[in-house]
Amino acid sequence: MASKPERRIGLVQIVMVLLMLMLLSACGATTVSEGQGTVQHKQDHLLPNGDLRQCTSSVNELPPFLDNGEEELRLVYKLAAENEHLLQWMPCYCGCGDSANHRSNLDCFVHERLEDGSVQWDDHGTRCGVCQRIAVEAVKLQQEGKSLDAVRKVIDDKYREGYAAPTPTTMPTM
């Protein structure tokens, strides 16, 4: 368990990212540079909806499509990958359930973790403020001590109206 100063530092970083994300709009048409990194295990995979998937050797190596991205965006991707246990239970309300067949907010950032430890990343979250805000808010709420069920309720209540239909995310099980 993290000490109180470490939790405070982590919470401050999350709050800073959340504030930056508030400046972003919902899913937009921002162009993302692909970067010059080497993709391991699989080649880049461009989906019909325009999302790009890239593999890296581990969760500690961010995908090349983030090479030229803002530091806040890189932090959100790192945060999402480190909180798979939480974000797999959080729906996304940007419409990606229909457009990209996503099942949860985690899918906006991480498509799959393979047995060898490599990660197939999804660039959908690079263009979507809704995806980013949900991820950051969920992690912040959990760090504040809210249970998995309580975090899910806050996300559902906040995004239920005025946003797209949620991903078909199952409810957390205890």
Side-chain angles (χ1 to χ4, degrees):
M1 180 162 220
S3 68
K4 202 170 194 174
E6 289 171 339
R7 282 193 306 248
R8 191 172 303 139
I9 290 170
L11 187 57
V12 168
Q13 288 175 332
I14 289 172
V15 169
M16 287 175 43
V17 170
L18 185 59
L19 290 172
M20 292 299 295
L21 293 176
M22 287 180 185
L23 299 174
L24 298 173
S25 61
C27 293
T30 305
T31 302
V32 177
S33 302
E34 286 188 26
Q36 303 300 319
T38 302
V39 178
Q40 299 178 10
H41 301 287
K42 294 182 183 177
Q43 293 182 337
D44 294 356
H45 183 66
L46 189 61
L47 302 175
N49 70 346
D51 286 355
L52 176 66
R53 291 194 180 144
Q54 293 179 329
C55 276
T56 62
S57 61
S58 77
V59 72
N60 296 319
E61 180 185 356
L62 291 173
F65 62 72
L66 290 173
D67 285 352
N68 297 322
E70 296 288 326
E71 184 61 25
E72 290 82 10
L73 187 55
R74 295 171 60 81
L75 285 171
V76 173
Y77 265 79
K78 184 171 173 42
L79 189 73
E82 291 172 349
N83 288 279
E84 179 177 351
H85 64 280
L86 171 66
L87 298 184
Q88 69 182 336
W89 302 109
M90 298 301 126
C92 189
Y93 285 83
C94 79
C96 62
D98 292 331
S99 69
N101 294 319
H102 287 176
R103 298 171 318 277
S104 71
N105 182 251
L106 178 65
D107 290 345
C108 302
F109 307 96
V110 175
H111 173 68
E112 180 179 24
R113 283 197 195 202
L114 304 172
E115 286 184 26
D116 66 358
S118 62
V119 178
Q120 187 175 39
W121 302 87
D122 192 308
D123 83 331
H124 180 83
T126 64
R127 301 179 299 284
C128 186
V130 173
C131 303
Q132 295 168 21
R133 284 192 301 271
I134 289 171
V136 172
E137 289 172 22
V139 172
K140 179 180 177 282
L141 290 166
Q142 188 174 56
Q143 285 186 344
E144 290 173 353
K146 293 205 182 308
S147 69
L148 189 57
D149 289 333
V151 173
R152 171 69 183 260
K153 182 175 180 353
V154 169
I155 296 298
D156 283 337
D157 289 348
K158 181 172 183 176
Y159 292 92
R160 180 174 288 123
E161 293 183 24
Y163 293 89
T167 53
T169 309
T170 57
M171 292 300 286
T173 56
M174 301 313 264

